[in-house]
Amino acid sequence: MTELDSRIIQALEVGPGQKAGQIAAALGVDRKLVNSALYGRLKGRVQQDKGYRWYLKGSSRADKREEEGTKRLDTPLAKLCRYYLDCLSHDDVGGVSEFASPLYGQPGYVELASLPMFDEAGIDPFDSEAGRQLLGRVRRDRNRQAVFLGYPVRLTLVRSRKSNWEGLKVEPLLLFPFQEAEGRYAKPTLSDDLPQINFRALRSLSNAGETSLMEEAIQLAEELGLGNAAGDQPDLDELFARLREIRADWDWQEDIAPYALSSGTPLASMSRQGIYNRAILVAAERSPYTKGLESELGMLQSVDESKYRGTAVGSWLTGQTIESPPADQQALLEVLPLNSEQRQAVRQALSNPLTVITGPPGTGKSQVVTSILVNAAWQGKTVLFASKNNKA
């Protein structure tokens, strides 16, 4: 055991539940060295919870956190979430998959020499002829496609039954979205969002049906902490290390080293199936679903019924009858003009435990919602407003 290893063990004895960055800061060393020890030499002496906090092996606190994370409920909300997940699984979940060496034309991806988020030189990932061409294609078709950074990359062997042709496809495991920069000639920049799981790669690795594939994706996202709250979100180098650790049975051909990607033979010239320490730029169709929906539904399954039993949602889920008292006829603040039906809807919403307001386009639902929010605030009530429409 090295001196650094001993200091890390001592730090966890004094303060269990620290993240690698906290340990590195306390010891005054590079976090890369701490991660190398935790995921390598100290592998048999330490363990990590789903929030990327480290404990000594056998710690009761870590075991308790893991038990809480694996609890599966059979509540009405959990059943409803599983129903929605099953519905999603019957749709094409899509993903990214490009021929490593297409028979005609240029590859549909651009191999990178470094990961932009770990490149201290700040090299523009689009600063190549292939990168500029890819960006141009996406911008000409921006309503359907977006640019993603893919890492690490799996080469998947595919065979054609009709022509007996076989070849390799490039399928990154994780997809990092870019955000479009303002200005016609500005380059996109990586967003701060955590990555998405590439369903094409996961399907090739798991050989699962669509329903079980969705379950596998949710489980993997949970184990990687992709749905964690802001304070618990993992650093990317630790996320990559954990992916390698928890899926050790996958066909890894190279060690994960995000600070130093592999070079040499390009992906288009390789012939062996497996996962490589490579990164690519690739264009993909935009997901038809809200980003992270599958992960959110998976997390909702574990919400205890006691947390929503006394709410309007709890009554609706269990089919209880909700008593609706007559609407209070008090005066309203009318920041927007309301007709009599809209005014009554606002009063109902402010008086009753649950109100559903429907109507075709142009009937003033937005005015009603705005009036409810304003009057609730005027009355000193707390309001949570949620919408699937980003313009709202």
Side-chain angles (χ1 to χ4, degrees):
M1 182 183 294
T2 67
E3 180 185 353
L4 176 60
D5 296 346
S6 299
R7 295 175 68 193
I8 293 173
I9 292 295
Q10 186 177 7
L12 291 177
E13 288 176 344
V14 175
Q18 297 184 71
K19 293 186 176 181
Q22 295 172 313
I23 299 173
L27 299 181
V29 298
D30 193 322
R31 196 182 70 202
K32 288 187 288 185
L33 298 176
V34 174
N35 276 329
S36 177
L38 290 169
Y39 285 100
R41 300 184 303 273
L42 296 176
K43 183 177 179 180
R45 300 194 61 180
V46 296
Q47 63 187 99
Q48 194 179 39
D49 68 13
K50 293 182 180 179
Y52 285 77
R53 302 175 186 86
W54 288 96
Y55 301 83
L56 295 180
K57 201 77 170 182
S59 169
S60 59
R61 291 177 60 182
D63 293 340
K64 183 178 179 181
R65 296 180 75 97
E66 291 303 307
E67 289 175 4
E68 292 173 350
T70 56
K71 182 170 60 176
R72 180 183 174 92
L73 303 178
D74 198 32
T75 62
L77 179 60
K79 293 177 180 177
L80 185 65
C81 290
R82 286 197 286 272
Y83 167 74
Y84 284 136
L85 287 168
D86 184 61
C87 291
L88 289 176
S89 71
H90 289 288
D91 289 286
D92 181 16
V93 292
V96 175
S97 181
E98 293 285 346
F99 285 105
S101 181
L103 295 177
Y104 306 101
Q106 297 297 316
Y109 63 92
V110 178
E111 190 168 353
L112 299 178
S114 63
L115 280 173
M117 60 281 267
F118 296 108
D119 185 2
E120 296 180 356
I123 298 175
D124 181 0
F126 297 96
D127 191 19
S128 67
E129 184 61 30
R132 288 187 286 270
Q133 289 180 2
L134 175 68
L135 187 56
R137 292 198 303 270
V138 170
R139 284 177 168 171
R140 289 191 295 271
D141 190 23
R142 65 170 59 201
N143 291 327
R144 293 196 303 109
Q145 289 195 319
V147 179
F148 289 88
L149 168 70
Y151 175 82
V153 173
R154 184 176 193 257
L155 290 176
T156 302
L157 181 64
V158 292
R159 294 184 176 89
S160 172
R161 296 179 180 178
K162 295 182 178 179
S163 61
N164 292 324
W165 174 90
E166 70 175 31
L168 293 170
K169 280 200 165 187
V170 172
E171 297 177 344
L173 303 188
L174 299 173
L175 297 171
F176 295 80
F178 282 85
Q179 54 187 11
E180 190 66 33
E182 296 182 2
R184 181 176 180 182
Y185 300 104
K187 301 288 182 64
T189 56
L190 278 172
S191 74
D192 294 329
D193 295 339
L194 288 174
Q196 308 170 32
I197 296 170
N198 182 15
F199 276 88
R200 289 290 183 91
L202 191 61
R203 181 187 288 114
S204 300
L205 287 162
S206 64
N207 294 318
E210 296 301 336
T211 301
S212 55
L213 176 65
M214 185 70 71
E215 293 175 351
E216 165 68 11
I218 292 172
Q219 179 180 347
L220 180 58
E222 183 179 353
E223 293 177 15
L224 292 175
L226 298 183
N228 288 0
D232 281 337
Q233 289 186 344
D235 293 313
L236 291 180
D237 52 353
E238 286 199 84
L239 187 149
F240 299 140
R242 175 177 283 191
L243 176 62
R244 177 67 174 84
E245 179 76 17
I246 63 178
R247 293 296 183 270
D249 58 317
W250 286 356
D251 52 0
W252 302 91
Q253 300 300 323
E254 295 177 339
D255 291 334
I256 289 295
Y259 293 93
L261 298 183
S262 301
S263 59
T265 305
L267 291 169
S269 302
M270 290 184 172
S271 58
R272 185 175 183 181
Q273 177 174 275
I275 303 171
Y276 293 87
N277 184 42
R278 307 296 181 99
I280 63 170
L281 294 176
V282 65
E285 290 190 5
R286 299 177 188 273
S287 171
Y289 304 114
T290 302
K291 183 180 179 293
L293 176 58
E294 298 89 350
S295 177
E296 292 170 1
L297 287 170
M299 294 171 63
L300 281 172
Q301 293 183 92
S302 62
V303 177
D304 192 270
E305 191 172 3
S306 62
K307 293 185 177 181
Y308 60 83
R309 183 181 294 117
T311 67
V313 171
S315 299
W316 173 71
L317 285 169
T318 55
Q320 298 177 19
T321 300
I322 299 177
E323 297 294 336
S324 297
D328 191 342
Q329 296 301 313
Q330 64 180 313
L332 299 175
L333 280 180
E334 295 197 22
V335 294
L336 296 171
L338 301 173
N339 59 31
S340 59
E341 289 82 5
Q342 292 170 329
R343 196 174 295 111
Q344 182 66 13
V346 173
R347 290 194 171 109
Q348 289 287 126
L350 293 170
S351 304
N352 297 332
L354 177 63
T355 301
V356 179
I357 300 170
T358 63
T363 53
K365 296 186 296 298
S366 296
Q367 290 93 312
V368 170
V369 170
T370 303
S371 297
I372 292 171
L373 295 172
V374 169
N375 280 277
W378 183 43
Q379 295 177 17
K381 297 180 178 180
T382 300
V383 179
L384 170 63
F385 175 61
S387 173
K388 66 177 183 179
N389 185 344
N390 65 334
K391 292 183 180 179

